[in-house]
């Protein structure tokens, strides 16, 4: 009887689900939510971020090399790297660890075409404007 009770308790916890609209993941892959995918530039500027279905990139137009993407870095340093994500329908948090370096980003949706980057540059909250949606 005790075994049956213990098994029942384990099944309840194993089969329970979280009804919130959030998603958490950890590992070596980056999977931004659909609402954030595309190119976002800081308001009034020419640099920002591109969110792809499986990658996160810094976008800095400096001639031929415009992107620095993290997917390849995570693959290159797979033995000592990780990506941790938390997303909802209005926010996305991403922490990337590459060896001893940690990059933390937090984005808060304002509208379909604008969002705030929380503390991204010198600790300031800055607005990003969506330039185009990622088609992949």
């Amino acid at each position: 009887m005790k075994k049956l009770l213990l098994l029942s308790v384990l099944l309840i916890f194993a089969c329970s689900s979280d009804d919130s609209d959030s998603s958490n993941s950890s590992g070596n892959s980056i999977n931004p939510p659909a609402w954030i995918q595309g190119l976002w530039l800081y308001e009034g500027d020419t640099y920002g971020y591109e969110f792809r279905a499986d990658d996160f990139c810094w976008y800095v137009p400096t001639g031929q090399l415009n992107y620095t993407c993290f997917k390849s870095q995570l693959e290159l340093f797979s033995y000592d790297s990780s990506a941790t994500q938390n997303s909802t329908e209005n926010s996305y948090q991403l922490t990337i660890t590459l060896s001893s370096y940690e990059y933390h980003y937090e984005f808060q949706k304002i509208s379909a075409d604008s969002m705030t980057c929380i503390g991204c540059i010198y600790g300031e909250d800055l607005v990003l404007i969506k330039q185009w949606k990622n088609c992949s």
Side-chain angles (χ1 to χ4, degrees), residues 77-124:
F77 297 102
S78 63
Y79 60 91
D80 195 17
S81 66
S82 67
T84 304
Q85 305 165 86
N86 182 22
S87 64
T88 69
E89 63 184 40
N90 293 312
S91 68
Y92 179 60
Q93 295 176 359
L94 173 64
T95 301
I96 299 170
T97 304
L98 298 171
S99 191
S100 61
Y101 297 98
E102 187 172 279
Y103 305 91
H104 179 74
Y105 299 92
E106 184 175 350
F107 302 95
Q108 188 71 40
K109 184 177 182 179
I110 298 171
S111 70
D113 296 324
S114 64
M115 69 177 171
T116 301
C117 185
I118 311 289
C120 283
I121 297 183
Y122 302 114
E124 291 187 42

Side-chain angles (χ1 to χ4, degrees), residues 16-96:
S16 67
S17 66
D18 183 4
D19 292 336
S20 68
D21 290 336
S22 68
S23 173
N24 297 310
S25 69
S26 182
N28 276 22
S29 63
I30 298 172
N31 306 103
W35 70 265
I36 203 170
Q37 291 177 23
L39 178 65
W40 296 78
L41 300 181
Y42 282 103
E43 192 170 43
D45 223 318
T46 59
Y47 63 95
Y49 308 101
E50 183 181 349
F51 298 85
R52 300 176 182 174
D54 64 349
D55 209 349
F56 170 69
C57 306
W58 293 336
Y59 177 77
V60 181
T62 57
Q64 291 183 349
L65 180 63
N66 293 332
Y67 293 96
T68 300
C69 297
F70 282 96
K71 178 181 178 182
S72 61
Q73 298 297 310
L74 286 166
E75 291 169 353
L76 182 64
F77 297 102
S78 63
Y79 60 91
D80 195 17
S81 66
S82 67
T84 304
Q85 305 165 86
N86 182 22
S87 64
T88 69
E89 63 184 40
N90 293 312
S91 68
Y92 179 60
Q93 295 176 359
L94 173 64
T95 301
I96 299 170

